[in-house]
Amino acid sequence: MTDFAATKAMFHLPEGVLYLDGNSLGPLPKAAAAKVQKMLTEEWGRMLITGWNKAGWMGMPTDLGDRIGRLIGAAPGTVVVGDTLSIKVYQAVASALELNPGRKVVLSDNGNFPSDLYMADGLLRSLGEEYELRVVDPEAVAEHITDEIAVLMLTEVDYRTGRRHDMKALTDLAHARGVITVWDLAHSAGAIPVDLAGCNADFAVGCTYKYLNGGPGAPAFIYVAPKWADTARPALSGWLGHEAPFAFDLDYRPGAGIERMRVGTPPVIQMTALAAAMDIWDMADMDDVRAKSIALTEQFIQQVEATCPDLELASPRAPAMRGSQVSFRFADGYAVMQALIARGVIGDFRAPDIMRFGFTPLYIDEGDVTRAVEILTDIMQNRLWDKPEFKIRQRVT
Amino acid sequence: MTDFAATKAMFHLPEGVLYLDGNSLGPLPKAAAAKVQKMLTEEWGRMLITGWNKAGWMGMPTDLGDRIGRLIGAAPGTVVVGDTLSIKVYQAVASALELNPGRKVVLSDNGNFPSDLYMADGLLRSLGEEYELRVVDPEAVAEHITDEIAVLMLTEVDYRTGRRHDMKALTDLAHARGVITVWDLAHSAGAIPVDLAGCNADFAVGCTYKYLNGGPGAPAFIYVAPKWADTARPALSGWLGHEAPFAFDLDYRPGAGIERMRVGTPPVIQMTALAAAMDIWDMADMDDVRAKSIALTEQFIQQVEATCPDLELASPRAPAMRGSQVSFRFADGYAVMQALIARGVIGDFRAPDIMRFGFTPLYIDEGDVTRAVEILTDIMQNRLWDKPEFKIRQRVT
């Protein structure tokens, strides 16, 4: 049984803040600062270039990949860390397309994170006019999975509403039509149990700075199913994905398995912070995390609906149909969110009217939810959001 | 006049080490540890998601780009930091190719860093069989710049020998033939004065963990000439290169100028370490750096040739023809380098027989060179390298 009081104690959570935005950027693991400090002074500082071998920097992308793999149903040796999520989306879609020659359409939905659509669009424009990115409503994805489709590219959990796709059913349907799947786990990894192997997923990608708490700009990850690992051609064929990077051959030969999805020199300092976060994840069982996540989101929905009737639930009501966030619609949601932030309740806002609240059992508990709802209720019932200073739009990530 | 004693004092240089491998990984700026610590605890820890605006994280890629720009002859607003060098090579070559429609050949040389060739090869394979990566000898590049070539992709300074291409002459020749240029400055930025604007270069890329001392896995940079900045299409079209990233539109619209070359969420922790390194660079003038670099490399060559006749100079003899490193060939160079490292002289080795020594005036001085040569001379004259423990090959970056 996961000890959530113990995991909560391992995060730095500022006094007076109820942080319900771990779905955007997870908080600082207390151990991260010391771990990074040590890496800087004792590894980079003392070992200099030899740190790549002596300190194990070169192996971090696959070491961290394996640790993330445990949370997403991926066997050791099938996940590697590196680059940004957008780059990994490009790499996965480019590889998947080539494994399905003759088909020219990538299918996605308009609930996908825009950058996934932008990256696929950029790739397909490079490949030529015969390629098409087809974007449909999330509810219409299944009916659009035809034998015309080369690649199905979906984000499992919608970044705005938390609506969850049925990964197993859609993957099965895709395979029945000869379609290769690319799943974006940005709002899944560390949020809900994922079973990539059990779903027979082909490719998956995700980021580590949201639920995984790797820090701002933490690297992304990519999963390649064993059946494709030695045949997928990485379009982004960098030297660290080469079979023998330090032979400095002029010709590219892809490395074995997941290693070929490495590209350039990995970000050691970011990976060190991520490793501190994964130390906490090593204490957690995803089924426990999911059970508590459901309890927290159910509590939040019930309490908010009881006291804030003007807010309309934008997330699916059935817990099984959503990730680990809850969104409410309100025309002045932007101002409400600013009023909440001013009171220490940190969620975020997505245009035109969605207030998002992320629930992260590693450091959020029932008392936090109750206090957050009390503040939200005060703001709503007394229209405390209706002030000019809360209506000035600022860029928010 | 640059105060090199002052800059040297700003680096952590381990006792007993003469570090001549700053061309692979620069040393730790003393201020980096505190600066990163502060970013972790006071920014990520306290500001959480609001750090993107409050702490200025979102602007770091262009802020750092401008600071690097000063060292490479690039105007403010023409350089942005992010991703790895391999990714930036891909992005530059893909963009350049599209700006030269109708031509299908990328010309490079076999002295280029292999990852540049791998990335270009990966891109061209994606685009189709009609595309070709043509790799010639460095000396033969000029004669191969014909009106068949779409893009000339070269690394200015050879990573093995330090041989330097004539960027201005080759760029002029390329333009006369309607060829667009992509220059890799991995061994140029912070090593030699570069005048991208004066050379009329089209695209340039580089890394920040070598001479710039940004730390292991520090992000890369990309330069786009103003004439292309608003027409280049980033094949890697990520959300942070979008005109309005936080509008979350479904369609990609490239941002203005260099901003469009941003892709995903930038690595804030790595950028913070890089910023500490750039604080030192702000104290330096590249002409002073070059003058001292030439003095140090000339001193090294003269002293080594006087006392180690078995070593054959692999770098150009004329200082103007080389970067800031000196390479010597020796059949047992690997063992010699291991013997040097065991004595605290850190250079590196590139197969089959090249010993590389990087000279970095910010923290290496005449006395260091003299001591390094004394140790090398002892090792060579007394065959101290001829021991089994120095002949076991390990992977070295």
Side-chain angles (χ1 to χ4, degrees):
Chain A
M1 193 68 193
T2 307
D3 181 349
F4 289 112
T7 59
K8 183 171 186 171
M10 297 181 78
F11 287 95
H12 175 75
L13 300 165
E15 189 69 29
V17 166
L18 295 167
Y19 194 60
L20 304 180
D21 207 13
N23 49 319
S24 271
L25 176 69
L28 173 71
K30 285 179 183 167
K35 203 174 178 86
V36 168
Q37 193 74 1
K38 188 175 173 187
M39 179 261 137
L40 292 174
T41 56
E42 297 184 21
E43 295 178 10
W44 179 15
R46 291 188 197 168
M47 299 178 190
L48 294 155
I49 188 69
T50 66
W52 285 107
N53 294 317
K54 278 190 197 163
W57 298 342
M58 197 50 81
M60 291 178 80
T62 46
D63 293 347
L64 288 165
D66 285 348
R67 298 175 77 179
I68 293 166
R70 185 183 71 84
L71 305 179
I72 56 174
T78 62
V79 177
V80 70
V81 160
D83 301 304
T84 66
L85 177 52
S86 293
I87 294 293
K88 275 352 206 182
V89 166
Y90 186 96
Q91 194 178 29
V93 174
S95 296
L97 267 175
E98 286 196 22
L99 291 168
N100 217 350
R103 299 190 183 191
K104 311 288 184 194
V105 182
V106 173
L107 177 66
S108 191
D109 72 42
N110 55 35
N112 206 341
F113 189 66
S115 200
D116 294 32
L117 302 177
Y118 304 161
M119 293 304 288
D121 179 65
L123 169 66
L124 299 181
R125 283 179 196 269
S126 297
L127 297 182
E129 288 181 359
E130 68 274 28
Y131 286 85
E132 178 192 344
L133 174 62
R134 191 170 296 169
V135 180
V136 302
D137 289 336
E139 301 74 21
V141 166
E143 70 194 74
H144 282 85
I145 299 175
T146 64
D147 57 14
E148 191 190 3
I149 307 297
V151 177
L152 174 65
M153 174 188 79
L154 293 174
T155 295
E156 186 187 16
V157 176
D158 186 295
Y159 74 107
R160 297 160 310 173
T161 64
R163 186 263 317 130
R164 183 183 182 184
H165 274 306
D166 186 333
M167 184 186 291
K168 179 77 170 70
L170 289 172
T171 301
D172 285 347
L173 189 57
H175 289 169
R177 302 278 187 277
V179 177
I180 296 180
T181 55
V182 174
W183 286 101
D184 181 340
L185 306 179
H187 293 266
S188 305
I192 57 177
V194 177
D195 185 9
L196 288 174
C199 290
N200 203 15
D202 301 288
F203 292 82
V205 295
C207 76
T208 65
Y209 52 74
K210 295 177 183 289
Y211 292 93
L212 295 182
N213 312 306
F221 63 84
I222 186 167
Y223 163 85
V224 181
K227 67 176 167 180
W228 300 121
D230 286 319
T231 46
R233 188 186 75 87
L236 300 171
S237 44
W239 69 309
L240 290 184
H242 193 282
E243 186 185 52
F246 298 96
F248 299 102
D249 293 331
L250 294 181
D251 293 321
Y252 180 74
R253 298 189 310 276
I258 196 67
E259 290 271 0
R260 68 181 56 188
M261 293 296 164
R262 296 177 66 160
V263 183
T265 304
V268 177
I269 314 178
Q270 298 282 163
M271 292 191 300
T272 302
L274 174 57
M278 295 312 298
D279 289 344
I280 305 178
W281 276 107
D282 287 350
M283 301 164 60
D285 179 276
M286 275 313 299
D287 289 330
D288 297 341
V289 170
R290 179 61 170 165
K292 185 162 179 189
S293 160
I294 289 175
L296 294 173
T297 53
E298 289 286 282
Q299 177 193 347
F300 185 74
I301 292 169
Q302 287 163 18
Q303 292 183 344
V304 170
E305 292 192 327
T307 59
C308 306
D310 292 342
L311 302 186
E312 178 197 350
L313 183 65
S315 300
R317 190 162 297 276
M321 301 300 288
R322 62 178 190 253
S324 198
Q325 72 176 70
V326 172
S327 300
F328 280 97
R329 291 185 195 280
F330 183 63
D332 282 296
Y334 181 83
V336 173
M337 186 53 70
Q338 300 313 304
L340 280 167
I341 290 169
R343 296 276 293 273
V345 179
I346 316 291
D348 64 19
F349 176 79
R350 287 291 178 262
D353 59 359
I354 287 184
M355 295 188 287
R356 302 196 304 180
F357 302 92
F359 296 88
T360 48
L362 290 193
Y363 55 86
I364 293 294
D365 60 26
E366 296 76 2
D368 296 327
V369 173
T370 297
R371 281 192 296 282
V373 176
E374 285 169 0
I375 294 169
L376 174 60
T377 302
D378 185 34
I379 288 168
M380 290 303 297
Q381 292 188 350
N382 299 299
R383 286 184 70 91
L384 301 179
W385 54 266
D386 195 6
K387 295 178 179 175
E389 67 264 34
F390 294 140
K391 297 184 177 176
I392 301 160
R393 298 284 175 116
Q394 289 183 323
R395 193 168 75 168
V396 182
T397 54
Chain B
M1 192 68 193
T2 307
D3 181 349
F4 288 112
T7 59
K8 184 171 186 171
M10 297 182 77
F11 287 96
H12 175 74
L13 300 166
E15 189 71 28
V17 167
L18 294 168
Y19 193 61
L20 303 181
D21 207 15
N23 50 318
S24 272
L25 176 69
L28 173 71
K30 285 179 183 168
K35 201 174 180 88
V36 168
Q37 194 73 1
K38 187 174 173 188
M39 179 261 137
L40 292 174
T41 56
E42 297 184 23
E43 295 179 10
W44 179 15
R46 291 188 197 171
M47 298 179 190
L48 294 155
I49 187 69
T50 66
W52 285 107
N53 294 318
K54 277 190 197 162
W57 298 341
M58 198 50 82
M60 290 178 81
T62 45
D63 293 347
L64 288 165
D66 285 348
R67 297 175 78 180
I68 293 166
R70 186 183 70 84
L71 305 179
I72 56 174
T78 62
V79 177
V80 70
V81 160
D83 302 303
T84 66
L85 177 51
S86 293
I87 295 293
K88 275 352 206 183
V89 166
Y90 186 97
Q91 194 179 29
V93 174
S95 296
L97 267 175
E98 286 195 21
L99 291 169
N100 216 349
R103 299 189 183 192
K104 310 289 185 193
V105 182
V106 173
L107 177 66
S108 191
D109 72 43
N110 55 35
N112 207 340
F113 188 66
S115 200
D116 293 32
L117 302 177
Y118 303 161
M119 294 303 288
D121 180 63
L123 169 66
L124 298 181
R125 282 178 197 270
S126 297
L127 297 182
E129 288 181 359
E130 67 274 29
Y131 287 85
E132 178 193 344
L133 174 62
R134 191 170 296 169
V135 180
V136 302
D137 288 336
E139 302 74 21
V141 166
E143 69 194 74
H144 282 86
I145 299 175
T146 64
D147 57 14
E148 191 189 3
I149 306 299
V151 176
L152 174 65
M153 173 188 80
L154 292 174
T155 295
E156 186 187 16
V157 176
D158 187 296
Y159 74 106
R160 298 160 308 174
T161 64
R163 186 264 314 132
R164 183 182 182 184
H165 273 307
D166 186 333
M167 184 186 292
K168 179 78 169 73
L170 288 172
T171 301
D172 285 347
L173 188 57
H175 289 169
R177 303 277 188 276
V179 177
I180 296 179
T181 55
V182 175
W183 286 100
D184 181 340
L185 306 179
H187 292 265
S188 305
I192 56 176
V194 177
D195 185 9
L196 288 174
C199 291
N200 204 14
D202 302 288
F203 292 83
V205 295
C207 76
T208 66
Y209 52 76
K210 296 177 183 291
Y211 292 94
L212 295 182
N213 312 306
F221 63 84
I222 186 168
Y223 163 85
V224 181
K227 68 176 167 180
W228 300 122
D230 285 321
T231 47
R233 187 187 76 87
L236 300 171
S237 44
W239 70 308
L240 290 185
H242 193 282
E243 186 183 54
F246 298 95
F248 299 101
D249 292 332
L250 294 181
D251 293 320
Y252 181 75
R253 298 189 309 278
I258 196 68
E259 290 271 0
R260 68 181 56 189
M261 293 297 164
R262 297 178 66 158
V263 184
T265 304
V268 177
I269 314 178
Q270 298 281 164
M271 291 192 300
T272 302
L274 174 57
M278 295 312 298
D279 289 343
I280 306 178
W281 276 108
D282 288 349
M283 301 163 60
D285 179 277
M286 274 312 299
D287 289 330
D288 297 340
V289 170
R290 179 62 170 164
K292 185 163 177 190
S293 160
I294 289 176
L296 294 174
T297 54
E298 289 284 284
Q299 176 193 348
F300 185 73
I301 292 170
Q302 286 163 19
Q303 292 182 343
V304 171
E305 292 192 327
T307 59
C308 305
D310 292 341
L311 301 186
E312 179 197 350
L313 183 66
S315 299
R317 191 163 295 277
M321 300 300 288
R322 62 177 189 252
S324 198
Q325 72 176 71
V326 172
S327 300
F328 279 96
R329 290 186 196 280
F330 183 62
D332 280 295
Y334 181 83
V336 173
M337 187 53 70
Q338 299 313 305
L340 280 167
I341 291 170
R343 296 274 293 272
V345 179
I346 316 290
D348 64 18
F349 176 79
R350 286 293 177 259
D353 60 359
I354 287 184
M355 295 187 286
R356 302 195 304 179
F357 302 92
F359 295 88
T360 48
L362 290 193
Y363 54 87
I364 293 294
D365 59 27
E366 296 76 2
D368 296 327
V369 173
T370 296
R371 281 191 296 281
V373 175
E374 284 168 359
I375 293 169
L376 175 60
T377 301
D378 185 33
I379 287 168
M380 291 302 298
Q381 292 188 348
N382 299 301
R383 287 184 69 91
L384 301 179
W385 54 267
D386 194 5
K387 296 178 179 175
E389 69 264 31
F390 294 141
K391 296 184 178 178
I392 301 160
R393 298 282 175 117
Q394 290 185 324
R395 193 167 76 168
V396 183
T397 54

